[in-house]
Amino acid sequence: MVKIQKTILSRVEGEIELKLIWEKGIIKDAFIIAPNFRGFEFILEGKPILDSLIITPRVCGICGHAHLMATVNALENLYKNAGYNIEISKKANLIRLITLSAEIVQNHLRWFYLFVFPDLLKLETYTEDLSEYIPIKGKQWQKAIDFSSKIVKVIAIFGGQWPHTSYSIPGGVVCDPTTFDITESISIVDSMIKYYEENIIGMKYENYLSIEDYKEFIEKSDKDLSKFLKLCFKHNLHKIGKAYNRFLTVSNIYPIFSQGATKRKKYNFNIKKLEEIDTYSFLTKKGIDFNGKKYSWAKAVRYEGFPYETGPLARRINNKDKLFLNLLADLKDTYIPRIWARIDEIIKLLLAMKKWLQEIDIKEPSYIKPKKNIKELEGIAYGLCEAARGSLIHKLEVKEGKIKKYDIITPSTWNLGPRCEKYLSPAEKAIIGLDNSLIAEMVLRSFDVCSVCTTH
Amino acid sequence: MKTLLWIQGLTCNGNTHSLLNAENPSFYDIFSKIKLLFHPAISSDEDLIKIIKDITQNKISLTFLVVEGSITKNKSFCRVGDFSIAEIIDQLKDKAEFIIAVGNCASFGNIPALYKENTNVVGLQYIFTEKKGLLPPNFKTKSGYPVINISGCPIHPAWFMQTILALYYEKPLILDAFNRPKEIYMYLPHDGCIRNEYFEWKEESEEFGHKEGCLFYNLGCKGPLTHAPCNKILWNRTSSKTRAGMPCLGCTEFNFPLRENYFETKKNIGIPEEVPLGVSKRAYITISGVAKSLRNERVKKKLEETD
Ligand code: SF4
Ligand code: SF4
């Protein structure tokens, strides 16, 4: 008997439906449906070029800053492709990295406590005392809100506000920070590090960073991450959610992110090997089509024809972080490493932020006006950025001072898009074979679901 | 206990995430006073479709219906289960004491309303400037208020929190011409901007990246033409666009996405096409001339070099 079950997922960004096909108590097939579509790429057509800086951040309320960075990167590449040198001061570069990192830290904290932890409460059915993690009432839940809101104050210091600033533009950044702006930002980062040590890892970060084996961490720590992992093992979650063991990262942020495509061995990322497939998407090259087997607004995206997982786990693997190479060897690309990678990234970003903040020389220019007016440029350019959920790619084509075409491939498209003729998306693959719908939802959430980005 | 239900149409979730940043009260403080029936990003066990049913059957009373995102009747572009967001609002509109549109999308349609393939994207009561949204122009909820618009792309969390709290304490709310709480939208981002001295003396920024200079004349700042208290109630309780050096985009106004070239000021023979609210072009020219003819030494220098 084949049974079809449809669930609307809460505790994700936006609207996602999970359609499960059951046979003899096992999930035989899974469809991730993104039912909403706003049409950002089409809305951008015909707009003045720089207006993309205002519009693309509004694709997503949680990673809008990454969209801004991808757009700036694309616009600066437009200059380069047209043969114009565009100069960015070291200061402007550092500030961009700092604000982008702040957004990612914010995202990971909210995702872990607001979206992921409540699932474990359900599994436990409250036998163990987990009251600290109960949504709204729980102390640790509340702290996650406080500290995720605190780190984005750094974006406000440099960019005026979060969400939805457009403070970064071709040539640099618009702000001109004072020494005191920088020392305040350092203090915020310091308090975040302390929060992370005391609440999440339960040890000094130096000790945590020297750990290369998961068992050692679980033994030594009794704070939130360790509690979470212990519960995962208790409920046999170390075997679920395996995807393709292929990992993609598109840009470098030394020393924490390094670009590459790993399938056993690591290769350089090459944008020419990427392809969008619309067989199962309502959105096709020839227009909108709701017929037949189509089921999502998202398109499938493939690299050398294969699905790749992107995001924090991919970044840890492509960066060859010891703990994660070991985790992969022990547990494969499953639920636990995928979740841990997101939490792990927080401290690496915070430490990098602190270093970058100290390196800013306020005497350098924030902005160096490009010599050529952007309205006189024509051509095609890509913008790459590592966002909270993984690799974000913008492609724009401009003509006669206007945007002719804009294409956005979000991290969620890589992970949660639909299938192609040959392969399921990584998240769909990770769900098949499970025997419990709550666990299926949990696997889906481990990819950090953002439907607003998936379809845009 | 008063109740609140949060639903979403076509949205980026930015208002939700902005709201999570709230201080005094914080997100969890307010929901110790008011029962949160459902929020798509927060709720864990609750079933939205069942809650809607219970409300329509008067089993649950609904105080605040909060809508984030633009509205469309077209299920192909936006769906909550088997319903369109318009159908859900239709079921709940006469049950809620108050309906609150959060953000420019729910208020005025905003960016999603520019998409040409889906011609039916609107705000709750407005589409851009016209009162032709989903609900009729004379629509009022049980409490006697029309849809209360908290505009902004996104909203500032305090704008939402203080509106909800005022209604919670049963204070009367004065609304402006676009049904926005007057006490929020009676200010301009220009009020309290740290660049005001430069505005006053017409010391205009020529390019980005400086603490000094006003962004109005060359760099597109809409601070003097926009209703929002961004330099009174600071963003993230820390700063604002114009303080950081970015022009105000006018993101709380109905025509926000209809504008173009946000980083430059449209001028006609040297005079900005739009002058500050409340001022005639003539008055603007006169006062600019006077200010420029007199000299303020302070605004001519880098701030670090001033006396
Ligand atoms: S920058 Fe904008 S808000 Fe600030 S003083 Fe100038 S016009 Fe007013
Ligand atoms: S300063 Fe202007 S653009 Fe920025 S939030 Fe306020 S009203 Fe919106």
Side-chain angles (χ1 to χ4, degrees):
Chain A
M1 250 288 281
V2 176
K3 200 179 95 197
I4 300 175
Q5 180 191 8
K6 249 189 183 182
T7 332
I8 315 172
L9 235 67
S10 65
R11 280 181 293 115
V12 294
E13 300 294 339
E15 190 76 19
I16 281 277
E17 283 175 10
L18 183 57
K19 185 172 141 191
L20 300 175
I21 313 295
W22 292 87
E23 225 182 284
K24 297 192 191 121
I26 301 284
I27 297 170
K28 276 283 171 251
D29 201 356
F31 297 83
I32 299 167
I33 303 170
N36 295 356
F37 186 66
R38 290 163 296 160
F40 266 79
E41 288 147 329
F42 303 99
I43 290 164
L44 281 156
E45 283 173 13
K47 292 267 184 199
I49 303 166
L50 285 182
D51 287 8
S52 55
L53 296 164
I54 308 298
I55 295 174
T56 69
R58 290 171 165 83
V59 164
C60 183
I62 192 157
C63 70
H65 208 63
H67 283 279
L68 173 69
M69 295 302 169
T71 299
V72 175
N73 190 234
L75 296 177
E76 287 174 352
N77 284 334
L78 188 68
Y79 274 99
K80 287 181 196 152
N81 296 350
Y84 296 96
N85 179 32
I86 186 154
E87 218 188 316
I88 313 294
S89 67
K90 183 178 174 209
K91 170 180 156 188
N93 252 327
L94 289 170
I95 294 174
R96 287 176 179 178
L97 289 176
I98 291 161
T99 57
L100 179 66
S101 304
E103 180 176 80
I104 299 177
V105 170
Q106 166 274 140
N107 178 81
H108 292 348
L109 279 175
R110 288 186 182 174
W111 163 82
F112 185 57
Y113 286 97
L114 275 58
F115 298 170
V116 171
F117 228 122
D119 282 328
L120 278 179
L121 304 187
K122 285 191 184 179
L123 276 187
E124 276 292 303
T125 48
Y126 304 98
T127 43
E128 200 154 318
D129 183 27
L130 293 171
S131 57
E132 291 181 322
Y133 308 102
I134 294 176
I136 300 177
K137 286 188 218 123
K139 248 197 8 251
Q140 293 307 92
W141 194 96
Q142 296 185 350
K143 268 194 213 163
I145 291 276
D146 291 343
F147 283 90
S148 61
S149 304
K150 190 168 186 183
I151 191 66
V152 293
K153 286 177 193 273
V154 173
I155 308 181
I157 288 171
F158 294 103
Q161 70 181 77
W162 185 88
H164 293 348
T165 173
S166 303
Y167 89 106
S168 185
I169 56 176
V173 293
V174 300
C175 59
D176 180 11
T178 62
T179 306
F180 294 171
D181 290 332
I182 291 164
T183 51
E184 187 179 356
S185 303
I186 293 175
S187 309
I188 292 173
V189 173
D190 278 338
S191 75
M192 297 293 300
I193 294 173
K194 188 161 171 266
Y195 159 73
Y196 185 88
E197 289 178 332
E198 289 174 358
N199 293 271
I200 297 179
I201 51 174
M203 60 182 75
K204 287 277 165 214
Y205 70 80
E206 295 93 336
N207 299 338
Y208 170 73
L209 292 176
S210 70
I211 289 176
E212 292 180 0
D213 172 65
Y214 75 86
K215 291 187 189 116
E216 185 191 341
F217 173 70
I218 294 174
E219 267 163 37
K220 284 188 180 161
S221 165
D222 61 352
K223 292 298 177 195
D224 294 357
L225 175 59
S226 176
K227 271 193 207 166
F228 179 85
L229 295 171
K230 281 174 192 144
L231 286 169
C232 285
F233 281 103
K234 180 177 157 196
H235 291 280
N236 266 323
L237 302 181
H238 56 291
K239 290 181 187 143
I240 59 161
K242 184 169 166 19
Y244 287 101
N245 200 23
R246 288 171 183 269
F247 304 103
L248 188 94
T249 305
V250 296
S251 59
N252 291 313
I253 301 181
Y254 181 78
I256 41 177
F257 300 170
S258 43
Q259 62 83 16
T262 298
K263 43 166 185 173
R264 267 180 257 119
K265 268 181 76 186
K266 189 180 156 188
Y267 300 88
N268 277 335
F269 168 70
N270 178 351
I271 198 133
K272 292 200 189 92
K273 295 183 175 172
L274 178 158
E275 180 192 7
E276 284 186 287
I277 301 169
D278 58 24
T279 319
Y280 290 87
S281 170
F282 301 141
L283 191 63
T284 75
K285 284 178 203 85
K286 293 188 212 111
I288 293 168
D289 181 358
F290 295 112
N291 289 318
K293 53 191 176 182
K294 293 172 175 294
Y295 64 91
S296 180
W297 275 104
K299 282 182 263 182
V301 50
R302 298 291 178 261
Y303 186 76
E304 289 184 312
F306 290 106
Y308 270 73
E309 173 170 351
T310 183
L313 179 58
R315 290 197 280 253
R316 303 285 50 89
I317 299 300
N318 281 323
N319 207 48
K320 304 205 164 130
D321 288 15
K322 216 45 223 224
L323 170 65
F324 284 87
L325 293 177
N326 290 340
L327 269 172
L328 201 68
D330 292 337
L331 302 177
K332 311 262 170 11
D333 51 331
T334 53
Y335 185 74
I336 288 178
R338 198 173 288 127
I339 287 187
W340 194 341
R342 291 180 150 81
I343 300 305
D344 176 84
E345 201 166 79
I346 296 173
I347 188 65
K348 288 173 180 155
L349 288 164
L350 289 171
L351 294 170
M353 282 175 78
K354 193 167 168 185
K355 185 168 152 283
W356 295 329
L357 280 161
Q358 280 161 324
E359 280 173 22
I360 294 176
D361 175 1
I362 58 165
K363 287 197 233 55
E364 283 183 14
S366 296
Y367 171 73
I368 301 165
K369 196 174 177 175
K371 304 230 161 48
K372 184 102 181 155
N373 186 337
I374 201 161
K375 291 179 185 168
E376 292 163 27
L377 299 182
E378 295 206 337
I380 294 177
Y382 284 97
L384 307 178
C385 176
E386 283 299 317
R389 294 177 182 76
S391 304
L392 172 64
I393 299 169
H394 284 202
K395 180 185 174 191
L396 95 166
E397 189 180 338
V398 303
K399 223 180 162 181
E400 288 161 5
K402 299 270 154 92
I403 297 164
K404 195 165 167 235
K405 225 172 157 4
Y406 209 107
D407 191 22
I408 300 172
I409 301 176
T410 63
S412 302
T413 320
W414 287 99
N415 293 337
L416 317 162
R419 59 205 57 198
C420 61
E421 277 95 348
K422 282 199 190 141
Y423 299 103
L424 305 177
S425 64
E428 287 179 341
K429 161 129 192 332
I431 289 169
I432 287 179
L434 297 172
D435 58 4
N436 174 312
S437 59
L438 171 61
I439 304 276
E441 282 187 30
M442 289 170 67
V443 167
L444 188 48
R445 284 195 189 95
S446 74
F447 286 90
D448 196 354
V449 180
C450 178
S451 80
V452 299
C453 268
T454 314
T455 64
H456 40 275
Chain B
M1 204 176 187
K2 292 191 164 62
T3 59
L4 187 147
L5 173 65
W6 187 292
I7 52 174
Q8 292 177 327
L10 288 163
T11 177
C12 76
N13 277 10
N15 299 296
T16 290
H17 280 285
S18 189
L19 189 62
L20 292 175
N21 295 337
E23 294 174 32
N24 311 321
S26 70
F27 187 85
Y28 46 83
D29 289 333
I30 192 103
F31 292 117
S32 62
K33 278 198 170 68
I34 295 168
K35 185 173 161 51
L36 178 62
L37 296 175
F38 184 84
H39 185 298
I42 307 295
S43 294
S44 191
D45 300 313
E46 300 80 356
D47 174 356
L48 173 63
I49 305 301
K50 183 170 181 302
I51 291 169
I52 294 171
K53 213 165 158 197
D54 286 350
I55 294 169
T56 54
Q57 294 172 354
N58 298 323
K59 285 186 202 151
I60 301 177
S61 71
L62 178 59
T63 321
F64 302 104
L65 174 63
V66 181
V67 183
E68 172 177 22
S70 319
I71 311 302
T72 177
K73 290 182 183 164
N74 193 337
K75 269 191 243 181
S76 301
F77 290 89
C78 181
R79 205 154 51 69
V80 183
D82 295 328
F83 299 100
S84 74
I85 183 71
E87 283 166 340
I88 292 180
I89 292 163
D90 203 52
Q91 289 187 41
L92 298 175
K93 66 179 194 305
D94 298 320
K95 300 287 174 188
E97 280 308 308
F98 307 97
I99 299 182
I100 298 175
V102 288
N104 258 36
C105 292
S107 299
F108 305 129
N110 206 24
I111 296 174
L114 300 177
Y115 181 42
K116 295 196 179 73
E117 292 283 340
N118 183 6
T119 49
N120 187 255
V121 181
V122 293
L124 276 176
Q125 216 161 2
Y126 288 83
I127 170 69
F128 298 121
T129 167
E130 288 178 286
K131 250 191 165 174
K132 286 186 183 162
L134 176 75
L135 301 169
N138 55 358
F139 170 81
K140 289 202 165 64
T141 52
K142 277 183 7 204
S143 58
Y145 285 100
V147 172
I148 298 167
N149 290 325
I150 305 181
S151 64
C153 188
I155 55 153
H156 187 299
W159 307 345
F160 176 82
M161 288 299 190
Q162 303 321 327
T163 302
I164 290 280
L165 276 180
L167 296 170
Y168 175 87
Y169 289 118
E170 290 167 14
K171 304 274 182 211
L173 212 61
I174 311 167
L175 301 181
D176 74 1
F178 286 101
N179 293 341
R180 301 178 292 194
K182 190 75 194 171
E183 285 193 30
I184 297 168
Y185 297 92
M186 65 189 179
Y187 296 99
L188 313 176
H190 187 58
D191 302 334
C193 176
I194 52 173
R195 295 168 190 270
N196 236 307
E197 192 181 8
Y198 301 97
F199 178 87
E200 213 175 306
W201 293 95
K202 296 290 159 287
E203 191 61 35
E204 308 287 357
S205 297
E206 304 273 338
E207 59 168 50
F208 293 108
H210 301 287
K211 284 187 285 297
E212 301 80 9
C214 167
L215 311 167
F216 177 70
Y217 188 74
N218 294 312
L219 302 181
C221 186
K222 299 282 179 292
L225 315 160
T226 300
H227 299 87
C230 301
N231 279 306
K232 175 178 187 272
I233 308 172
L234 294 179
W235 278 88
N236 310 86
R237 303 287 179 171
T238 299
S239 190
S240 70
K241 288 198 188 77
T242 65
R243 287 186 181 207
M246 193 192 144
C248 166
L249 310 168
C251 82
T252 53
E253 300 298 355
F254 61 85
N255 60 353
F256 160 61
L258 303 177
R259 290 183 186 276
E260 287 193 337
N261 295 309
Y262 297 88
F263 292 100
E264 56 191 75
T265 307
K266 226 184 184 173
K267 281 177 274 201
N268 248 329
I269 33 173
I271 304 156
E273 249 179 29
E274 292 175 281
V275 291
L277 284 175
V279 177
S280 69
K281 268 206 177 130
R282 196 139 147 227
Y284 175 79
I285 299 165
T286 312
I287 203 117
S288 303
V290 174
K292 274 192 183 151
S293 68
L294 302 169
R295 207 176 152 83
N296 177 342
E297 287 303 327
R298 195 181 136 79
V299 300
K300 298 281 174 204
K301 293 180 181 160
K302 291 275 307 165
L303 270 169
E304 290 85 348
E305 288 153 14
T306 52
D307 297 329

